[in-house]
Amino acid sequence: MLKRLEEMLTDIWTPLLILWITLFPYISMAPVNQLKSLQTGSIVGQQGTGERQKSLSRAKRGWVWNQMFVLEEFTGRDPILVGRLHTDLDAGAKNIKYILSGDGAGSFFVINDKTGDIHAMKKLDREEKAEYTLTAQAIDADTKQPLEPPSEFIIKVQDINDNAPEFPNGPYHASVPELSSVGTSVTKVTATDADDPVYGNSAKLVYSILEGQPYFSIDPHTAIIRTALSDMDREAKEQYLVVIQAKDMGGHMGGLSGTTTVTITLTDVNDNPPKFSQSVYHFSVPEDLAVGATAGKVKANDHDIGENAKSNYTINDGDGTDVFEIISDSLTQEGILRLKKPLDFETKKSYTLKVEAANVNNDARFGREPFKDTTTVKIAIEDSDEPPLFSAPSYLLEVHENTAINSVIGQVSASDPDVTASPIRYSIDRHTDLERQFNINAEDGKITLAKALDRETDVWHNITVIATEIRNYSQISRISVAIKVLDINDNAPEFATVYEAFLCENGKPGQVIQTVSAIDKDDPKNGHFFIYSLAPEMSNNPNFTIKNNEDNSVSVLAKHNSFRRQKQEMYILPIIVSDNGNPPMSSTNTLTIRVCGCSSEGIVQSCNVEAYVLPIGLSMGALIAILACIVLLLVIVVLFVTLRRHKNEPLIIKDDEDVRENIIRYDDEGGGEEDTEAFDIATLQNPDGINGFLPRKDIKPDLQFMPRQGQHPAPNGVDVDEFINVRLHEADNDPTAPPYDSIQIYGYEGRGSVAGSLSSLESTSSDSDQNFDYLREWGPRFKRLGELYSVGESDKET
C-alpha cells in the first residue's frame, strides 16, 4: 500500500512541477521589468538636468537580466513565448526597434522588434544543445542609431524525461564456476541516460532482473550480478540467459526503461570421477606382435571437461606387468596398452592386468584424494608361425691364418620355436662374403674355410648366416657371425724404411753412421723382439760394426777414419734381422753407405767423386749450369748446320742425280799411259754404239778406234756384251732382285794397254784350274754364264 501511495503522489506532483516550470519565466519577468523602468526613469531624469550634469554622470544600461528558460520538446501549434525585452526609453515618444542576434537568432528564436517579445519557433532538444547565447540591442527605428550598447543573455533549455536508459556495452557474456556459493559476483553491467543528471530524477537509474531468477540477482544501484543458488551444476545446465532492466526516475511510475541480456556460462570444476564403461576388457593379440605395438585400448569416461577430465592410466597388478605397459592419450583420454617384451605362445598363452584411471587435477572441496576407478584387462595370446630362433644373439669365431682349406672353423644352431618344429636350412648371405671365403653346411650349420686366410690382409671377417624353415620359406632369421683371424709367424722382419747412410771422410772411429729399426707384419701376443746381426760373410767386416740399442734397433758404427771417396765411394752392408716367433723368421737387408765430404762441423757437403776434383768454390749447381749451357750451344750448332744443308739442296731431284741410275764400278782397267778418261756410261745406254767410240783428245787419232781385245765373241758365238745387256734388262724388270737399278761392270779394259787384256773371257787357254760351277748356284740369271765358262774349260781340256 505504501508503495502504491508513493506512486500516486509522484503522479500528482509531476504535472504540478511541469506547470510551475512553464509559468516560471512569466512570473519572474514582472519585477524585472519594473526594475528596468525604475532604472531607466532615473537615467532619463538625470539626462534632463543639463549638459554639464550629463557629461559628469555615467550612462547606465536600460535593462538588466541573466537568463531565460524554455522547455525542450515543446510541440504546441503556436510559438512559445520565451521572454520579453523592454526598456524605459520606450515611453511612446520615440520609435524604438529591438534587434536580436547570436545562437539560433532568426531560426530557433525570433524577436518582435516593436514589443521585444522573444518566441521559440522550433522544437528544442536539450540533448543536442542545452543553452543558447544571444545578443539584444535597442536602436532608433528612424535614425538606426543604437540607443544603448548591445548586451548578452542566455536562454537555457530545461530538461524533460524524454530519453530512456541504454546499455552501450550490451549484450554481455560472463562466466562463473559451477557449484559456487550464494552471492558470488558474476559481472557488472552499466546503463547510461542522456537526460540531465542534475535536474530532477530523469537520469536516476534503478536496475532489476526481468529473467534469470532464481539463479541470479542484481544490486539495483551498483548493477552487480551475483549467484542466487549454490547447487548449480554444469553437467546439468551449462548456460543461462539473464535479462537486466534499467529504469529512470528512480524506478517510479512514469519513468523510461531499457534492457540488455547477459549470457552466463558455468565453468567446470573437477566434481566427477572417471568411470570405466566395462568392468572387464578382453583382447587377443598374436604372439609375433612387435615390441612397442598396441595390444588394446581402454577408456574411463569423465563428465568433466578440459583439464578436469584428464586421467592417468597405470597397471597396478597382474601377471603381465613386465610384459605390457599403458600410456595415456592426451587427445582421446584413452589408455593404450603396448607390448614391452616379445610374446611366446609356447611359454604363456594369456595375461591378466589390473588397470587404474585417476584424475590428474584434484579439487580439495570434493576430497583430498584424486578421483579414480579400476578395471580388469585379460589378454589372450594367439599362436603364430614364428621364424627360426638362433641359440645365441651373435657368434664369434677364431681361426688361425694357416688353417687348411675345408677345415671346420665353427658352427651356428637355430630351431623352430613353434610346436610343429620345422627343420632348418642354413646359408650364407653372399652380400656379406663377396669373395666366398667361407662355406656353411646347409643341414648342421658348420662353417668351413673355402679360401686361405691372411691376417695381414684382413683381421676380421663379418658374415651373415640365414636360417630358413623348410616347411615355410617365408620364415627366415639372420644372425651375425664375426670371424677373427689369429696370427702366426709367417712374415720375416724387414727394415722400417729404405736406409741410405752417409759417412764423413774425416769421421772418427766408433762414430754412429745410421740407426736402423725393423718392422714385422705379424702381431705376436708379447710384442716384437728383433735380433740384428751382420751377414756371415761380413762378420769380420774391417770397416763397420753394429751395436744393439735395446729398443729393437741397432746403430751402425765406423771402425776407422781412413775412408776416402777416391778409393771407394760406396759400401754395401748386409744386416740380418730375426724375430722371436715360433719358428723364428729372418731376412737380410742391405744398408747402403756413401762416403761424403763434410765440413769441420761434420755437415755433409758432397758425396760424388767428381765433386772432389772440382776447383774449390765451384758448387755443384754452378757445374750443372755450365754443362747445360754447353749442351744448349751444341744443339744450336747442329740445328744450324742441318738447316743450312736443307737450304742448299734443291727441292726437285734432277734426272741425272736419280740414285737409280748410279753405277758402281769395280776393277776398271786403265788404258795404259794413254787412258786418262773414265768409262763412259753412254756405252751401256747404247750397246749398238759399242764399236763407235767417242774421240779422245789425249791420244792420237790413229789410235782412237782400235778394237779392244776383250770384245771378241766368246766360244760358241755368244757375245758377252749382249749377254750382259739381256741380264741387265731382266734385272731392271725384277723389283725383288738387289741391287735393283745399280750395275756392276766387269771385263771392260782401257784401250792402248801394252799388257793387253787381263780378262779371262777371251782367253782360249789358261793354266788355271779354276772351277766356275758355283755360278749355277747363284740362281737362274747366272746359270747361263756358268755354262759358258764350263764349256770353255771343257774345250781347253780337249
Coordinates of all heavy atoms in Angstrom, one line a residue, residues 61-128:
R61 N 22.8 51.0 -18.4 CA 22.0 50.2 -19.3 C 20.6 50.3 -18.9 O 20.2 50.5 -17.8 CB 22.5 48.7 -19.2 CG 23.9 48.5 -19.7 CD 24.4 47.1 -19.3 NE 23.5 46.1 -19.8 CZ 23.6 44.8 -19.5 NH1 24.7 44.4 -18.8 NH2 22.8 43.9 -20.0
G62 N 19.8 50.2 -20.0 CA 18.4 50.4 -19.8 C 17.7 49.2 -19.3 O 16.5 49.3 -18.8
W63 N 18.3 47.9 -19.4 CA 17.6 46.7 -18.8 C 18.7 45.8 -18.3 O 19.9 45.7 -18.7 CB 16.7 46.0 -19.8 CG 17.5 45.6 -21.1 CD1 18.3 44.5 -21.3 CD2 17.4 46.3 -22.3 NE1 18.7 44.5 -22.6 CE2 18.2 45.6 -23.3 CE3 16.7 47.4 -22.8 CZ2 18.3 46.0 -24.6 CZ3 16.9 47.8 -24.1 CH2 17.7 47.1 -25.0
V64 N 18.4 45.0 -17.3 CA 19.3 44.1 -16.6 C 18.6 42.7 -16.5 O 17.5 42.6 -16.1 CB 19.7 44.6 -15.2 CG1 20.6 43.5 -14.6 CG2 20.4 45.9 -15.3
W65 N 19.3 41.6 -17.0 CA 18.8 40.2 -16.9 C 20.0 39.3 -17.0 O 21.0 39.6 -17.5 CB 17.7 39.9 -17.9 CG 18.2 39.9 -19.3 CD1 18.6 38.8 -20.0 CD2 18.3 41.0 -20.2 NE1 19.0 39.2 -21.3 CE2 18.8 40.5 -21.4 CE3 18.0 42.4 -20.1 CZ2 19.0 41.3 -22.5 CZ3 18.2 43.2 -21.2 CH2 18.7 42.6 -22.4
N66 N 19.8 38.0 -16.6 CA 20.8 37.0 -16.7 C 20.5 35.9 -17.7 O 21.2 35.5 -18.6 CB 21.2 36.4 -15.4 CG 21.9 37.3 -14.5 OD1 22.7 38.1 -15.0 ND2 21.7 37.3 -13.2
Q67 N 19.3 35.3 -17.5 CA 19.0 34.2 -18.4 C 17.5 34.0 -18.4 O 16.7 34.5 -17.6 CB 19.6 32.9 -17.8 CG 19.2 32.6 -16.4 CD 20.0 31.4 -15.8 OE1 20.9 30.9 -16.5 NE2 19.7 31.0 -14.6
M68 N 17.1 33.2 -19.5 CA 15.7 32.8 -19.7 C 15.6 31.3 -19.8 O 16.6 30.7 -20.1 CB 15.1 33.5 -20.9 CG 15.1 35.0 -20.9 SD 14.4 35.7 -22.4 CE 14.6 37.4 -22.1
F69 N 14.5 30.7 -19.6 CA 14.3 29.3 -19.6 C 13.2 29.0 -20.6 O 12.2 29.7 -20.8 CB 13.9 28.8 -18.3 CG 15.0 29.0 -17.2 CD1 15.0 30.1 -16.5 CD2 16.0 28.0 -17.1 CE1 16.0 30.3 -15.5 CE2 17.0 28.2 -16.1 CZ 17.0 29.4 -15.4
V70 N 13.4 27.8 -21.3 CA 12.3 27.2 -22.2 C 12.4 25.7 -22.1 O 13.4 25.1 -22.0 CB 12.5 27.8 -23.6 CG1 13.9 27.3 -24.2 CG2 11.4 27.3 -24.5
L71 N 11.2 25.1 -22.1 CA 11.1 23.6 -22.0 C 11.5 23.0 -23.4 O 11.1 23.6 -24.4 CB 9.7 23.2 -21.6 CG 9.4 23.4 -20.1 CD1 7.9 23.0 -19.9 CD2 10.3 22.5 -19.3
E72 N 12.2 21.9 -23.3 CA 12.5 21.2 -24.6 C 11.3 20.4 -25.0 O 10.4 20.2 -24.3 CB 13.7 20.2 -24.3 CG 13.4 19.1 -23.4 CD 14.5 18.0 -23.3 OE1 15.3 17.9 -24.3 OE2 14.6 17.3 -22.3
E73 N 11.4 20.0 -26.3 CA 10.4 19.2 -26.9 C 9.0 19.8 -26.9 O 8.0 19.1 -26.7 CB 10.4 17.8 -26.2 CG 11.7 17.1 -26.2 CD 12.1 16.7 -27.6 OE1 11.3 16.6 -28.5 OE2 13.4 16.4 -27.8
F74 N 8.9 21.1 -26.9 CA 7.6 21.8 -26.9 C 6.9 21.5 -28.3 O 7.5 21.8 -29.3 CB 7.7 23.3 -26.7 CG 6.4 24.0 -26.8 CD1 5.5 23.9 -25.8 CD2 6.1 24.8 -27.9 CE1 4.2 24.6 -25.8 CE2 4.9 25.5 -28.0 CZ 4.0 25.4 -27.0
T75 N 5.7 21.0 -28.3 CA 5.0 20.6 -29.5 C 3.7 21.3 -29.7 O 2.8 20.9 -30.4 CB 4.8 19.1 -29.5 OG1 4.0 18.8 -28.3 CG2 6.1 18.3 -29.4
G76 N 3.5 22.6 -29.2 CA 2.3 23.4 -29.4 C 2.1 23.9 -30.8 O 3.1 24.0 -31.5
R77 N 0.9 24.3 -31.2 CA 0.7 24.8 -32.5 C 1.2 26.2 -32.7 O 1.6 26.6 -33.8 CB -0.8 24.8 -32.8 CG -1.4 23.4 -33.0 CD -2.9 23.4 -33.4 NE -3.7 23.9 -32.2 CZ -5.0 24.0 -32.3 NH1 -5.6 23.8 -33.4 NH2 -5.6 24.5 -31.2
D78 N 1.2 27.0 -31.6 CA 1.7 28.4 -31.7 C 3.1 28.4 -31.1 O 3.5 27.6 -30.2 CB 0.8 29.3 -30.9 CG -0.6 29.4 -31.6 OD1 -0.6 29.2 -32.8 OD2 -1.5 29.6 -30.8
P79 N 4.0 29.4 -31.6 CA 5.3 29.5 -31.0 C 5.2 29.9 -29.5 O 4.3 30.6 -29.1 CB 5.9 30.7 -31.8 CG 5.2 30.7 -33.1 CD 3.8 30.3 -32.8
I80 N 6.1 29.3 -28.7 CA 6.1 29.5 -27.3 C 6.9 30.8 -26.9 O 7.9 31.1 -27.5 CB 6.7 28.3 -26.6 CG1 6.6 28.5 -25.1 CG2 8.1 28.0 -27.1 CD1 7.1 27.2 -24.3
L81 N 6.2 31.6 -26.1 CA 6.9 32.8 -25.6 C 8.0 32.5 -24.6 O 7.7 31.9 -23.6 CB 5.9 33.8 -25.0 CG 6.4 35.1 -24.4 CD1 7.0 35.9 -25.6 CD2 5.3 35.9 -23.7
V82 N 9.2 32.9 -25.0 CA 10.3 32.6 -24.1 C 10.5 33.7 -23.1 O 10.7 33.5 -21.9 CB 11.6 32.4 -24.9 CG1 12.8 32.2 -24.0 CG2 11.5 31.3 -25.9
G83 N 10.3 35.0 -23.5 CA 10.5 36.1 -22.6 C 10.3 37.4 -23.4 O 10.0 37.4 -24.6
R84 N 10.4 38.6 -22.7 CA 10.2 39.9 -23.3 C 11.3 40.8 -22.9 O 11.7 40.9 -21.8 CB 8.8 40.5 -22.9 CG 8.5 41.9 -23.4 CD 7.2 42.3 -23.0 NE 6.1 41.4 -23.6 CZ 4.8 41.5 -23.3 NH1 4.4 42.4 -22.4 NH2 4.0 40.7 -23.8
L85 N 11.8 41.6 -24.0 CA 12.8 42.6 -23.7 C 12.1 44.0 -23.8 O 11.3 44.3 -24.7 CB 13.9 42.5 -24.8 CG 14.7 41.2 -24.9 CD1 15.7 41.3 -26.0 CD2 15.3 40.9 -23.6
H86 N 12.4 44.9 -22.8 CA 11.7 46.2 -22.8 C 12.6 47.2 -22.1 O 13.4 46.8 -21.1 CB 10.4 46.1 -22.0 CG 9.6 47.3 -22.1 ND1 9.0 47.8 -23.3 CD2 9.3 48.3 -21.2 CE1 8.3 48.9 -23.1 NE2 8.5 49.2 -21.7
T87 N 12.6 48.4 -22.6 CA 13.4 49.4 -21.9 C 12.5 50.6 -21.6 O 11.5 50.9 -22.3 CB 14.6 49.9 -22.9 OG1 15.3 51.0 -22.3 CG2 14.0 50.3 -24.3
D88 N 12.9 51.4 -20.6 CA 12.1 52.6 -20.2 C 12.2 53.7 -21.2 O 11.5 54.7 -21.2 CB 12.6 53.1 -18.8 CG 12.1 52.1 -17.7 OD1 11.3 51.3 -18.0 OD2 12.7 52.1 -16.6
L89 N 13.2 53.6 -22.1 CA 13.3 54.6 -23.1 C 12.1 54.5 -24.1 O 11.8 55.4 -24.8 CB 14.6 54.4 -23.9 CG 15.9 54.6 -23.1 CD1 17.1 54.3 -24.1 CD2 16.0 56.0 -22.6
D90 N 11.4 53.3 -24.0 CA 10.3 53.1 -24.9 C 9.1 53.7 -24.1 O 8.3 53.0 -23.5 CB 10.1 51.7 -25.2 CG 9.0 51.4 -26.2 OD1 8.5 52.4 -26.7 OD2 8.7 50.3 -26.5
A91 N 8.9 55.0 -24.2 CA 7.8 55.7 -23.5 C 6.8 56.2 -24.5 O 5.9 57.0 -24.1 CB 8.3 56.8 -22.6
G92 N 6.9 55.8 -25.7 CA 6.0 56.2 -26.7 C 6.4 57.4 -27.5 O 5.9 57.8 -28.5
A93 N 7.4 58.2 -26.9 CA 7.9 59.4 -27.6 C 8.8 59.1 -28.7 O 8.9 59.9 -29.7 CB 8.6 60.3 -26.6
K94 N 9.5 58.0 -28.6 CA 10.4 57.6 -29.7 C 10.0 56.3 -30.3 O 9.3 55.5 -29.7 CB 11.8 57.4 -29.1 CG 12.5 58.6 -28.6 CD 13.9 58.4 -28.1 CE 14.6 59.6 -27.6 NZ 15.9 59.4 -27.2
N95 N 10.4 56.2 -31.6 CA 10.1 54.9 -32.3 C 11.3 54.0 -32.1 O 12.4 54.1 -32.8 CB 9.9 55.3 -33.8 CG 9.4 54.0 -34.6 OD1 9.1 53.0 -33.9 ND2 9.3 54.2 -35.8
I96 N 11.2 53.0 -31.2 CA 12.3 52.1 -30.8 C 12.2 50.8 -31.5 O 11.0 50.2 -31.6 CB 12.4 51.9 -29.3 CG1 12.7 53.2 -28.6 CG2 13.5 50.9 -28.9 CD1 12.6 53.2 -27.1
K97 N 13.3 50.2 -31.9 CA 13.3 48.9 -32.6 C 14.3 48.0 -31.9 O 15.4 48.4 -31.5 CB 13.7 49.0 -34.1 CG 13.7 47.8 -34.8 CD 14.1 48.0 -36.3 CE 14.1 46.7 -37.1 NZ 14.4 46.9 -38.5
Y98 N 13.8 46.7 -31.6 CA 14.6 45.7 -30.9 C 15.3 44.8 -31.9 O 14.6 44.3 -32.9 CB 13.8 44.9 -29.9 CG 13.2 45.8 -28.8 CD1 11.9 46.3 -28.9 CD2 14.0 46.1 -27.7 CE1 11.4 47.1 -27.9 CE2 13.5 46.9 -26.6 CZ 12.2 47.4 -26.7 OH 11.7 48.1 -25.7
I99 N 16.5 44.5 -31.7 CA 17.3 43.6 -32.6 C 17.9 42.5 -31.8 O 18.4 42.7 -30.7 CB 18.4 44.4 -33.3 CG1 17.9 45.5 -34.2 CG2 19.3 43.4 -34.2 CD1 18.9 46.4 -34.8
L100 N 17.8 41.2 -32.3 CA 18.3 40.0 -31.6 C 19.3 39.3 -32.5 O 19.0 39.1 -33.7 CB 17.1 39.1 -31.3 CG 17.5 37.8 -30.5 CD1 18.0 38.2 -29.1 CD2 16.3 36.9 -30.4
S101 N 20.4 38.9 -32.0 CA 21.5 38.2 -32.7 C 22.1 37.2 -31.8 O 22.0 37.3 -30.6 CB 22.5 39.2 -33.3 OG 23.2 39.9 -32.2
G102 N 22.9 36.2 -32.4 CA 23.6 35.2 -31.6 C 23.1 33.8 -32.0 O 22.6 33.6 -33.1
D103 N 23.3 32.8 -31.1 CA 23.0 31.4 -31.4 C 21.5 31.3 -31.6 O 20.6 31.6 -30.8 CB 23.4 30.5 -30.2 CG 24.9 30.5 -30.0 OD1 25.6 30.8 -31.0 OD2 25.3 30.1 -28.9
G104 N 21.1 30.8 -32.8 CA 19.7 30.4 -33.1 C 18.9 31.6 -33.4 O 17.6 31.4 -33.6
A105 N 19.4 32.9 -33.4 CA 18.6 34.0 -33.7 C 18.1 34.0 -35.1 O 18.9 33.7 -36.1 CB 19.4 35.3 -33.5
G106 N 16.8 34.2 -35.3 CA 16.3 34.1 -36.7 C 15.8 32.8 -37.1 O 15.0 32.6 -38.0
S107 N 16.3 31.7 -36.4 CA 15.9 30.3 -36.8 C 15.1 29.7 -35.6 O 13.9 29.4 -35.8 CB 17.1 29.5 -37.1 OG 18.0 29.5 -36.0
F108 N 15.8 29.5 -34.5 CA 15.1 29.0 -33.4 C 14.3 30.1 -32.6 O 13.3 29.8 -32.1 CB 16.1 28.3 -32.4 CG 16.6 26.9 -32.9 CD1 17.8 26.8 -33.5 CD2 15.8 25.8 -32.8 CE1 18.3 25.6 -34.0 CE2 16.3 24.6 -33.3 CZ 17.5 24.5 -33.9
F109 N 14.9 31.2 -32.5 CA 14.4 32.3 -31.7 C 14.1 33.5 -32.6 O 15.0 33.9 -33.5 CB 15.3 32.7 -30.6 CG 15.6 31.6 -29.7 CD1 16.8 30.9 -29.8 CD2 14.7 31.1 -28.7 CE1 17.1 29.9 -29.0 CE2 15.0 30.1 -27.9 CZ 16.2 29.4 -28.0
V110 N 12.9 34.2 -32.4 CA 12.5 35.4 -33.2 C 12.0 36.4 -32.2 O 11.3 36.1 -31.2 CB 11.4 35.0 -34.2 CG1 11.0 36.3 -34.9 CG2 11.9 34.0 -35.2
I111 N 12.4 37.7 -32.4 CA 12.0 38.8 -31.5 C 11.1 39.7 -32.2 O 11.3 40.0 -33.4 CB 13.2 39.5 -31.0 CG1 12.8 40.5 -29.9 CG2 14.0 40.2 -32.0 CD1 14.0 41.1 -29.1
N112 N 10.1 40.2 -31.5 CA 9.2 41.2 -32.1 C 9.9 42.6 -31.9 O 10.2 43.0 -30.8 CB 7.8 41.2 -31.3 CG 6.8 42.1 -32.0 OD1 7.1 43.2 -32.5 ND2 5.6 41.7 -32.0
D113 N 10.3 43.2 -33.1 CA 11.1 44.4 -33.0 C 10.4 45.6 -32.4 O 11.1 46.5 -32.0 CB 11.6 44.7 -34.4 CG 10.5 45.0 -35.4 OD1 9.4 44.8 -35.0 OD2 10.8 45.3 -36.5
K114 N 9.1 45.5 -32.2 CA 8.4 46.6 -31.6 C 8.2 46.4 -30.1 O 8.3 47.3 -29.3 CB 7.1 46.9 -32.3 CG 7.4 47.3 -33.8 CD 6.1 47.7 -34.4 CE 6.3 48.1 -35.9 NZ 7.1 49.4 -36.0
T115 N 7.7 45.1 -29.8 CA 7.4 44.9 -28.4 C 8.6 44.2 -27.6 O 8.5 44.2 -26.4 CB 6.2 43.9 -28.3 OG1 6.5 42.7 -28.9 CG2 5.0 44.5 -29.1
G116 N 9.5 43.6 -28.3 CA 10.6 42.9 -27.6 C 10.3 41.5 -27.2 O 11.1 40.9 -26.4
D117 N 9.1 41.0 -27.6 CA 8.8 39.6 -27.2 C 9.7 38.6 -28.0 O 9.8 38.7 -29.2 CB 7.3 39.3 -27.5 CG 6.4 40.2 -26.6 OD1 6.9 40.6 -25.5 OD2 5.2 40.4 -26.9
I118 N 10.2 37.6 -27.3 CA 11.0 36.5 -27.9 C 10.3 35.2 -27.9 O 9.7 34.8 -26.8 CB 12.4 36.3 -27.1 CG1 13.2 37.6 -27.1 CG2 13.2 35.2 -27.7 CD1 14.4 37.6 -26.3
H119 N 10.1 34.6 -29.1 CA 9.4 33.3 -29.2 C 10.3 32.3 -29.7 O 11.2 32.5 -30.5 CB 8.2 33.5 -30.2 CG 7.1 34.4 -29.6 ND1 7.1 35.8 -29.7 CD2 5.9 34.1 -29.0 CE1 6.0 36.3 -29.1 NE2 5.3 35.2 -28.7
A120 N 10.1 31.0 -29.2 CA 10.8 29.8 -29.8 C 10.0 29.3 -30.9 O 8.8 28.9 -30.8 CB 11.0 28.8 -28.7
M121 N 10.6 29.2 -32.1 CA 9.9 28.9 -33.3 C 9.9 27.4 -33.6 O 9.1 26.8 -34.4 CB 10.4 29.6 -34.5 CG 10.4 31.2 -34.3 SD 8.8 31.8 -34.0 CE 8.0 31.5 -35.6
K122 N 10.9 26.7 -33.1 CA 11.1 25.2 -33.4 C 11.2 24.5 -32.1 O 11.5 25.0 -31.0 CB 12.4 25.0 -34.2 CG 12.3 25.6 -35.6 CD 13.6 25.3 -36.3 CE 13.6 25.9 -37.7 NZ 14.8 25.5 -38.5
K123 N 11.0 23.1 -32.2 CA 11.1 22.3 -31.0 C 12.6 22.1 -30.7 O 13.5 21.9 -31.5 CB 10.6 20.9 -31.4 CG 10.6 19.9 -30.2 CD 9.9 18.6 -30.5 CE 10.6 17.9 -31.6 NZ 10.0 16.5 -31.9
L124 N 12.9 22.3 -29.4 CA 14.3 22.3 -28.9 C 14.6 21.0 -28.2 O 13.7 20.3 -27.7 CB 14.5 23.4 -27.9 CG 14.3 24.9 -28.5 CD1 14.5 25.9 -27.4 CD2 15.2 25.1 -29.6
D125 N 15.9 20.6 -28.3 CA 16.3 19.3 -27.7 C 17.5 19.6 -26.8 O 18.6 20.0 -27.3 CB 16.6 18.3 -28.8 CG 16.9 16.9 -28.2 OD1 16.8 16.8 -26.9 OD2 17.2 16.0 -29.0
R126 N 17.3 19.4 -25.5 CA 18.4 19.8 -24.6 C 19.6 18.9 -24.9 O 20.8 19.3 -24.6 CB 17.9 19.6 -23.2 CG 18.9 20.1 -22.1 CD 18.7 19.5 -20.8 NE 18.9 18.1 -20.8 CZ 20.1 17.6 -20.6 NH1 21.2 18.3 -20.4 NH2 20.3 16.3 -20.6
E127 N 19.4 17.6 -25.3 CA 20.5 16.7 -25.5 C 21.3 17.1 -26.7 O 22.5 16.7 -26.8 CB 20.0 15.2 -25.7 CG 19.5 14.6 -24.4 CD 18.2 15.2 -23.9 OE1 17.3 15.6 -24.8 OE2 18.0 15.3 -22.7
E128 N 20.8 17.9 -27.6 CA 21.6 18.4 -28.7 C 22.3 19.7 -28.3 O 23.4 19.9 -28.6 CB 20.7 18.6 -29.9 CG 20.1 17.4 -30.6 CD 19.3 17.6 -31.8 OE1 19.3 18.8 -32.2 OE2 18.8 16.7 -32.4

